[in-house]
Amino acid sequence: MSRRILGGLARIGLLVAGLVALGLAWEGYKAWAPADGVSVAGVRILPRTNDAAMPHLSAVWNVLHEEQVASGGAISFGPRPTVLHGLVDACSNTLGWAAVGLLIGLLVGAALAILMDALSVAERALLPYVVLSQTVPLIALTPMLSRWGNGWGLLGWEWTKATSVEVIAAYLAFFPVAVGLLRGLKSPSAVHRDYFTVTAAGWWRTLVRLRLPAAVRHLVPALRLAAAAAVVGTIVAEISIGQPGGIGMRILEYSQVTGNSAKLYAAVAGAAALGLLAAAAVTLVDLALWRYHRAGAPS
């Protein structure tokens, strides 16, 4: 356990070092590169360095403490929230939708993986469509899904734009879970499978005592991909259908404001932080399942 904790701390240290290196590279390029960027044979291969294209990191930091202008000309009384407060609220909304989508994707992906592992005919029939599902462009799928669900409800629950966002997040999240868990369920060696067979363990006991523990090593990386995909899917879906309140719409809003690109980069940094937070949450799940790694699942 202590080894895994030390490994996690080492990864955090590398992440911090990478962010520092990225910041130094950003400021170094802005200081030394031409204002019009670097061009080769008349083709720009590196971006411009003016403040509209590449603001200083200090400008991005300072803009977080500016007062947030109320949208639509609304009048507010008392102290106005800062840009940072607005980004935190937007990120929390996006994270909530992504979490719901990840949970749905996890359940759907796990169910498909168990079904395909139990029945070879199901694997042959479903796996190609599972792979094919990820080729559909979200920019077209999200508005269609929103129109299909518009006005639909059940027992007092109503389909909203937020529901469409969550479904899109689940749509991206289920794929790595299904593929990764299926690979993990098939990872036990023939010796271990035969042992459970000769002891008449049954399908359920074999699944719980052998296949699922062995699948943990494959499921955790799949969950990391699924968490990141859920965040990306949520942001793209927000922008596609105009779901207010999330970081996706905040990025779109700031991208349309001329003369202050620092706000846009602050919103993009917030979206990136969501991905890091999702990966950190999966790391906690990995630590909770450390005994399966320690014991060495059958392979």
Side-chain angles (χ1 to χ4, degrees):
M1 182 63 173
S2 59
R3 183 182 301 176
R4 297 192 64 80
I5 293 177
L6 291 176
L9 293 176
R11 286 194 293 269
I12 294 175
L14 290 175
L15 173 62
V16 173
L19 292 176
V20 171
L22 180 62
L24 293 175
W26 179 281
E27 291 294 334
Y29 177 77
K30 183 173 176 62
W32 297 104
D36 290 333
V38 177
S39 300
V40 175
V43 178
R44 184 182 297 111
I45 60 174
L46 292 177
R48 297 184 177 95
T49 59
N50 55 57
D51 291 339
M54 286 186 63
H56 284 287
L57 297 181
S58 59
V60 178
W61 173 260
N62 292 331
V63 81
L64 293 175
H65 306 288
E66 294 181 2
E67 290 185 349
Q68 181 174 301
V69 179
S71 59
I75 299 176
S76 60
F77 299 94
R80 289 180 178 176
T82 63
V83 172
L84 176 61
H85 291 142
L87 291 179
V88 170
D89 290 340
C91 286
S92 63
N93 291 332
T94 298
L95 186 62
W97 297 325
V100 174
L102 178 60
L103 179 60
I104 297 173
L106 174 61
L107 295 176
V108 173
L112 286 174
I114 293 174
L115 176 62
M116 290 187 292
D117 177 67
L119 300 173
S120 58
V121 63
E123 180 179 0
R124 292 194 298 269
L126 295 177
L127 189 56
Y129 292 100
V130 170
V131 176
L132 185 64
S133 68
Q134 302 304 296
T135 64
V136 180
L138 293 184
I139 198 69
L141 180 62
T142 308
M144 293 170 56
L145 182 64
S146 182
R147 293 192 188 98
W148 291 340
N150 186 27
W152 185 76
L154 181 65
L155 300 177
W157 171 83
E158 184 178 355
W159 187 291
T160 63
K161 284 186 176 181
T163 307
S164 300
V165 171
E166 292 165 352
V167 171
I168 291 298
Y171 178 78
L172 288 185
F174 93 95
F175 174 74
V177 173
V179 175
L181 183 56
L182 177 61
R183 181 184 178 189
L185 292 174
K186 294 182 177 298
S187 64
S189 64
V191 174
H192 291 93
R193 294 196 302 267
D194 291 342
Y195 173 78
F196 275 75
T197 300
V198 298
T199 56
W203 176 83
W204 176 253
R205 186 178 180 185
T206 302
L207 176 67
V208 174
R209 300 294 298 274
L210 176 66
R211 295 187 182 274
L212 286 178
V216 169
R217 294 177 300 168
H218 301 272
L219 179 60
V220 170
L223 279 178
R224 287 196 180 96
L225 293 176
V231 172
V232 172
T234 300
I235 295 174
V236 172
E238 289 176 30
I239 297 174
S240 298
I241 63 176
Q243 169 62 27
I247 192 64
M249 287 301 294
R250 195 57 58 91
I251 291 174
L252 182 62
E253 174 187 342
Y254 289 160
S255 68
Q256 297 171 349
V257 177
T258 58
N260 193 357
S261 61
K263 283 188 176 182
L264 174 60
Y265 280 99
V268 171
L274 284 183
L276 295 177
L277 185 60
V282 176
T283 300
L284 294 178
V285 174
D286 189 15
L287 291 175
L289 299 174
W290 69 276
R291 64 191 184 95
Y292 296 107
H293 298 270
R294 182 192 62 174
S299 59

